[in-house]
Amino acid sequence: MSDSFNTLSHPGGRYLKLGILNGIVVTQNRNRDVFKGDLLVEDGVITKLGEFTERVDDSLDAEGCIVMPGLINCHTHVSMALMRGAADDLRLEEFLERTFAVDARRTAEDIEIGAELGCIEMARSGTTCFLDLYYSEDVIAKAVERLGLRAYLGWAILDEQHTTQKGSPIRNCERFIREHSDSQLIKPVVAPQGVYVCSDDTLIAAKELASRENTFCHYHLSETRHEVYEYKRQKGLRPVEHLAKIGFLTKGDVAAHCVWLTVNEVRELARSGVSAAHCPTSNMKLAVGGVAPLPEMFEEGGGVCLGTDGCSSNNSLDMFLEMKFAALQLKSSRWDASALPAQKALDLATIDAARSLGAEKEIGSLELGKRADIAVVDCRHSAMAPTTSDNAVANLVYASPSKAVRDTIVGGEFVLRGREIVGVDEEHIIDAATAAAQKLLSE
Amino acid sequence: MSDSFNTLSHPGGRYLKLGILNGIVVTQNRNRDVFKGDLLVEDGVITKLGEFTERVDDSLDAEGCIVMPGLINCHTHVSMALMRGAADDLRLEEFLERTFAVDARRTAEDIEIGAELGCIEMARSGTTCFLDLYYSEDVIAKAVERLGLRAYLGWAILDEQHTTQKGSPIRNCERFIREHSDSQLIKPVVAPQGVYVCSDDTLIAAKELASRENTFCHYHLSETRHEVYEYKRQKGLRPVEHLAKIGFLTKGDVAAHCVWLTVNEVRELARSGVSAAHCPTSNMKLAVGGVAPLPEMFEEGGGVCLGTDGCSSNNSLDMFLEMKFAALQLKSSRWDASALPAQKALDLATIDAARSLGAEKEIGSLELGKRADIAVVDCRHSAMAPTTSDNAVANLVYASPSKAVRDTIVGGEFVLRGREIVGVDEEHIIDAATAAAQKLLSE
């Protein structure tokens, strides 16, 4: 039991006290302690871990369940949940053509209903926080706040000739940031889409905006071989080399994919403090060929986290599956069954993700003083049995337990309770999303 | 709509009539028709497809659901569900050492409770039929019959010096076959474990037993590079070459893994009529390095099906996930996003699997006269929405819908209905399995 199993003292005042009792608590603290016991949440913050007997306002029986930090999805396009199953088995160019064509037709209502659907899917699979990259993040923010997830929303910035956004992407992003500067659940992010649609001027303007607004940049980076070699042919440098040269790479950035990197580029990212959001399912499904060099990233001290990417290239927002795919892809490609063990896969989706987002003091583990972003997984589901403290982490990663998620809590508030989505009409959203998708795809 | 959408005439007599109404029916018939409508089951057999208005004894509302053939898992060790999460992130030699050590301590009760747990997990994930390889299949048969799944149970045969079985494996297998010759749900199979524990005499004796008893052989084949090259070093031939030479390979056999094959070996298997049970998740998790050459198998006309392998190397018996892993592994390794499209992945787990088992006239598709082995998937689950007839197959493969399986039917009988396991006390089994695993693993 680590030192951190202590009780914080409170400055006083009344808090809503929620007790989560008798679970197998996978803390993801520094020692990666797993213990059988209770967790107390007051005013959205974890205030006790271990066992306690005090009276609470509300309690959750977690006997036979794993209590764990909510999963953090570090790269997605949540609203594309509407396009699940709409662009499969296509080579990347055809895939992009198909998705861009549909994207261009989407209304604000389509984007909102897609985001609601995606948020419900994430809540049902134990994800409490995600990093999004899209336009119209103001619309997505409404869905996120309605559902009650935590989100880093990155407004897409690209050269004006490449975008369907109305007005200037950089000014749209700036306005979005200012309008959401005091949101409880949402942190606005600047999202230059990728070097292939962003000139150096656009990249630098995005970077300056992020710096001015005290946020970070999220972008696609070196996803496909074609993208990297085409860039090098045109610019004479590989993308990371070029971004380093123009001073774009900055501590706190999160770069999605990072598949086609040289070891020197891995070093450059680590040196700059840029984290890689690894998206193994999407990479495999779109057949990008390479495998993000995670062992080298770990070796060089670079930040690594996981993302599902959008629903049209996955086709799921299930972070439990993303952990499994990440582990199996690396074991398989390195011919080493001990590559990316279960504990490390879980780290990538929790505490390492929080660190990549600069939020390791707030989320990513169950520790005193951290926000109560929690998933409760029912281990008496046949897909999870037998679970004990000894194999809890292995089962979280390899037994694909999203079907066993019972409760999801963000900042102490239930988003999913007893397998029921809280606060919104799930059936209505699913019907509306299905109708919207049918209309959109038949056009 | 294909010719097969007709009504069978019946010889008369009363049947229990079950109507499954208003679903999106993914038939997997020759034309791979998907239609919105009804399905009638009489006395365990599909007797109408399309729309009908006649009175039924029992009906299932499948509005908003996919109605599909039950999935067929063509390689597993069901009873090892008890060892979920007990041997992860280990190199193959350590993995085998660990699992063999636990296996040697298992009692008949452990094997039975493990099989019950595994059968429940399969029923909950839409699997209606599986091919098992293990000893003590008589004990497993009891669990299978209690749950009501369909199973091909292969009694493991190996040289007597390698086994912990009491008595002669070949005589044990023979007794098992005779005792189950008239079972409704179980077909006994002869399962020589693999060339590394079976002498030529043992292999030939197994083959003769299968021939005498009118069944087929199921065995492990060329799973790891080490296994193949070590065999070649000792025998001068690769395993498939040697098995062909001694006349072992026979039409109807199902060989699990088949990863490390030359194109000549692929041809030899196809020529012999031996199907490959591809186990991508297990192969990736155990880091066998290679990828089974499915495109070459298709090219040569060889039979291919899918298996989860045992729970200790997967760690799940979820055939939906197996389809996704199979598709993504092949796309990724061949740098081709159109490799193994969704339709073909679904074929491997349904009609192609039935063909591999010599049961294509009975199971594997929803067609007139076939047994009613059916899974009903709720597409109003957030992980499956939006689903229409157009993307139903893609969603089955890529959206990992085991969490959305609502009903599972074997031979017209419900095994899972409205998300409740029928006929056995699921909670009791899960508690007993958890207790048994704790005792077994702590010894």
Side-chain angles (χ1 to χ4, degrees), chain A residues 81-381:
Chain A
L82 211 59
M83 288 186 63
R84 194 193 316 273
D88 302 301
D89 305 326
L90 301 174
R91 291 186 179 78
L92 187 66
E93 296 70 32
E94 299 166 89
F95 167 81
L96 291 176
E97 200 176 308
R98 170 103 176 115
T99 53
F100 289 166
V102 176
D103 249 15
R105 290 200 300 272
R106 304 226 295 177
T107 64
E109 289 71 29
D110 291 333
I111 292 171
E112 190 168 350
I113 197 75
E116 287 181 327
L117 174 62
C119 285
I120 290 174
E121 188 189 355
M122 286 196 275
R124 284 201 170 278
S125 49
T127 293
T128 52
C129 179
F130 67 99
L131 171 54
D132 202 61
L133 189 163
Y134 215 64
Y135 57 99
S136 298
E137 290 287 359
D138 51 343
V139 174
I140 294 169
K142 284 192 270 180
V144 173
E145 289 184 321
R146 200 170 302 130
L147 268 294
L149 294 189
R150 194 180 301 287
Y152 292 74
L153 300 181
W155 191 292
I157 287 174
L158 57 175
D159 298 345
E160 295 195 21
Q161 72 268 29
H162 291 305
T163 184
T164 56
Q165 286 182 48
K166 285 182 191 133
S168 145
I170 201 118
R171 277 193 296 274
N172 293 343
C173 180
E174 185 166 29
R175 187 172 54 245
F176 170 66
I177 294 172
R178 300 226 167 129
E179 284 171 1
H180 292 81
S181 60
D182 56 0
S183 167
Q184 288 284 311
L185 289 171
I186 287 166
K187 185 170 172 69
V189 170
V190 180
Q193 190 164 325
V195 293
Y196 40 89
V197 284
C198 295
S199 67
D200 287 355
D201 286 348
T202 299
L203 290 169
I204 295 302
K207 182 57 67 175
E208 286 170 355
L209 174 61
S211 168
R212 216 157 53 231
E213 300 292 343
N214 196 27
T215 186
F216 62 87
C217 282
H218 179 44
Y219 38 89
H220 295 107
L221 185 62
S222 300
E223 179 177 3
T224 70
R225 188 174 182 279
H226 174 81
E227 168 193 335
V228 169
Y229 286 89
E230 185 59 23
Y231 192 83
K232 176 152 190 185
R233 197 181 61 76
Q234 287 177 23
K235 299 268 186 176
L237 290 172
R238 296 169 65 95
V240 173
E241 294 166 344
H242 179 78
L243 292 175
K245 187 178 139 203
I246 66 169
F248 176 80
L249 301 172
T250 310
K251 183 168 164 54
D253 287 0
V254 179
H257 299 296
C258 300
V259 175
W260 286 95
L261 300 181
T262 61
V263 172
N264 275 336
E265 288 179 297
V266 169
R267 281 192 195 117
E268 186 59 54
L269 291 178
R271 193 158 44 221
S272 307
V274 176
S275 293
H278 176 43
C279 302
T281 307
S282 172
N283 295 161
M284 291 177 80
K285 183 154 182 280
L286 293 176
V288 303
V291 177
L294 267 60
E296 291 70 25
M297 291 173 180
F298 300 148
E299 177 78 21
E300 299 297 333
V304 184
C305 46
L306 294 180
T308 59
D309 207 349
C311 232
S312 53
S313 65
N314 185 307
N315 301 349
S316 150
L317 301 176
D318 183 337
M319 282 293 293
F320 284 108
L321 274 186
E322 212 58 43
M323 293 193 286
K324 184 166 185 172
F325 270 97
L328 269 60
Q329 185 200 38
L330 206 64
K331 291 174 194 306
S332 173
S333 64
R334 299 293 173 118
W335 296 35
D336 176 3
S338 65
L340 205 65
Q343 180 62 64
K344 186 62 183 171
L346 183 60
D347 294 353
L348 297 182
T350 56
I351 189 63
D352 291 359
R355 195 173 299 117
S356 294
L357 296 170
E360 70 272 29
K361 290 188 178 154
E362 294 189 276
I363 56 174
S365 62
L366 303 181
E367 295 184 85
L368 296 184
K370 283 207 175 180
R371 293 179 190 277
D373 287 11
I374 298 171
V376 179
V377 179
D378 178 10
C379 299
R380 298 178 77 231
H381 189 292

Side-chain angles (χ1 to χ4, degrees), chain B residues 295-334:
Chain B
E296 291 69 25
M297 291 173 180
F298 300 148
E299 177 78 21
E300 300 296 334
V304 184
C305 47
L306 294 181
T308 59
D309 207 350
C311 232
S312 53
S313 65
N314 186 308
N315 301 353
S316 150
L317 301 175
D318 183 337
M319 282 293 292
F320 284 108
L321 274 187
E322 212 58 42
M323 294 193 285
K324 183 165 185 172
F325 270 98
L328 270 60
Q329 185 200 38
L330 206 64
K331 292 173 194 306
S332 172
S333 64
R334 297 294 172 115

